[in-house]
Amino acid sequence: MKKNRPKYKQIIDAAVEVIAENGYHASQVSKIAKKAGVADGTIYLYFKNKEDILVSLFQEKMGQFVETIEQEIETHSNASDMLLTLIQVHYHQLAKDHQLAVVTQLELRQSNKELRLKINDVLKGYLMVIDKIVEKGMNDGSFNEHMDRRLVRQMVFGTLDETVTNWVMNDQKYSLEEQATAVHGLITQGLTK
Amino acid sequence: MKKNRPKYKQIIDAAVEVIAENGYHASQVSKIAKKAGVADGTIYLYFKNKEDILVSLFQEKMGQFVETIEQEIETHSNASDMLLTLIQVHYHQLAKDHQLAVVTQLELRQSNKELRLKINDVLKGYLMVIDKIVEKGMNDGSFNEHMDRRLVRQMVFGTLDETVTNWVMNDQKYSLEEQATAVHGLITQGLTK
Amino acid sequence: MKKNRPKYKQIIDAAVEVIAENGYHASQVSKIAKKAGVADGTIYLYFKNKEDILVSLFQEKMGQFVETIEQEIETHSNASDMLLTLIQVHYHQLAKDHQLAVVTQLELRQSNKELRLKINDVLKGYLMVIDKIVEKGMNDGSFNEHMDRRLVRQMVFGTLDETVTNWVMNDQKYSLEEQATAVHGLITQGLTK
Amino acid sequence: MKKNRPKYKQIIDAAVEVIAENGYHASQVSKIAKKAGVADGTIYLYFKNKEDILVSLFQEKMGQFVETIEQEIETHSNASDMLLTLIQVHYHQLAKDHQLAVVTQLELRQSNKELRLKINDVLKGYLMVIDKIVEKGMNDGSFNEHMDRRLVRQMVFGTLDETVTNWVMNDQKYSLEEQATAVHGLITQGLTK
DNA sequence: AATGAATGAGCATTCATTCAT
DNA sequence: GATGAATGAATGCTCATTCAT
């Protein structure tokens, strides 16, 4: 299994670093190879092509991301608490790894439509976690049962994504994690008094 | 004034068409020129460079967008109604011009960081409209007065943007405009019953 | 006769200025037109094409150059004195018009082979003046009668041209005219004691 | 060391051929690559850019040129003989390689000012050889000790350069090498009987 | 005569991918 | 498995010249 050989992770981590430092368009395969300490050609023993590096990068990182969130959520039985936890962990994961935040929020979005579609596929795992929480809240009566689940998921994800992107674009100069409860409040209570 | 000469708009409209049809990266200047019915060199009488076409495109379209929304909002005196109108008009504008929706939601985001920063500048005008509505609602007591205005703006914009992007990515196969009241409900009431 | 209309000289003088300021390759027709205070298209009422401006420029300036030298030479009856006068006037003409010196010594040489052949044609008038002096000196016995006239002409012209070019390349920071007698000495006496 | 790999010289020789055949401005990198039998991109493994090919070309060829002249000169102890040898070898080197003569005398001079400055740097090695000969002659009393060394160098180089350029422009239809002694006579004895 | 908007041919360079060693 | 030299397709922009007014 290629994914377990040391160079696989080595190349993915090099890719994160190179993209964070140079930006998406200035991240040539040769730069990633150099940073990973392998020859250009070696990359192609582990990845089908450049796009495959980026998709794999996203899969690896997002996989850990979702896994961590799922574990944390399990410690709660209440949908609203689970949602707060999801927000906190989401923010925490990105706040603790600035490079990864830049890469996922800004750089990877410059990729072409096909790559973005594949990234969306990877995101589905995350959206399902949101879905489960919403589902639970709607079933146990803590959330409004007349909501369109798809729209709820889009509101939650759109809000989290937009807040993180703004934080990254503002050079991460305020605390992302401290916003968690306020954002949770907005999502659960809405704007109305 | 270059912006009033017919070829200016002709080229911008051609750019929207070409990008919608071919995608951002396959949209060569020569293709845009051909579609606009002018010579390649003519493009450069009206735009500084390729990026300038795209920024101008966004400015033109977003300018009309914001203007239309502002006019519609003025017919209401209530913050919640204004927000509903904003959502409706936002959805309507993009639903009525599928090509423009594809270009702004998907294609233009593949541009490099500089272009995206310029696009963000243009977006500020729109965000200010959201701000004004929120401000009004918080002042007249219809909205919760303890909210962080920045976060509110990000939630509203993030939700609208995510819902439109999903609609575009799903090939616009359901009605965007019919979602408006549901989205308005989610934003104003939140998830909680 | 086009050459007598005011815009003809106006354009040529603008060309000298523009080329001296911007260099040969950055001297677009539109820049020359602007400096001359005429429209781009007007240039083509007076000159066949861009190359024709440059050839005409060289003809005009070199014509005056040769004429001045011929007049000055006539005041002498001795070949060696004539040669000294030629050198002095050659240096003086270029020293008094720095822009013209830059244009003829450096910039115009970047032109393509065809233009340089035409320039050489114009130069023939000047070379004939040198020839006449040498001829006279060889006939009256003051110059060595066994010399190859062509080679003598090339030595004289090559020496003058190289000394002026060096002076221009060194930013004209020493006096060109003060070198005249020394150069005359070298040419007439050679290196040998 | 890139300069020792076979493709380095292969590309430089191709550049000489292509420029001699097509002229400076019609010598595209792709033409040079084709003539050298390599891919366009390969050029850039050996040279920084197009200008670097031309500067390297000049350095390589002029390096051999100067080296050959220095070796030949060493076989003489007399300044005048050394000068004759320099002229003979200068003429011989260019007469035996017509293409190189065309490229250095005509084509490379069409380059822009920066390239010409770099070429002048390379030329300094050659001018120093002239300087050494003149110095020697002035010290041992065979040459006039009151001469301005800079002017002498310019006269010698200007004369050689002009005679070669004329020969090239006249399609090399007479013998350059047979002129050597006559030119040497002109330079050492001057025009005066 | 004069204008200036419009034209469109032309080209250096990068970089993902391959494949002989 | 690993290497890295070699490949070659792909494109934004300039500017001399024209011609309708």
Side-chain angles (χ1 to χ4, degrees), chain D residues 40-51:
Chain D
D40 291 17
T42 305
I43 298 268
Y44 292 87
L45 297 176
Y46 294 89
F47 301 91
K48 223 170 67 254
N49 50 33
K50 186 181 179 179
E51 182 179 304

Side-chain angles (χ1 to χ4, degrees), chain C residues 190-193, chain D residues 72-73 75-88 130 132-144 147 156 180-181 183-189:
Chain C
L191 304 185
T192 310
K193 199 189 307 203
Chain D
E72 294 294 326
I73 281 171
T75 65
H76 299 272
S77 54
N78 171 303
S80 178
D81 288 351
M82 288 170 120
L83 183 60
L84 176 58
T85 305
L86 178 134
I87 297 170
Q88 284 170 332
I130 297 178
K132 272 190 289 185
I133 297 174
V134 174
E135 190 79 16
K136 181 177 171 57
M138 288 172 73
N139 285 338
D140 70 15
S142 59
F143 289 166
N144 178 345
M147 301 183 300
V156 173
T181 49
V183 170
H184 176 257
L186 281 176
I187 291 176
T188 53
Q189 305 303 325

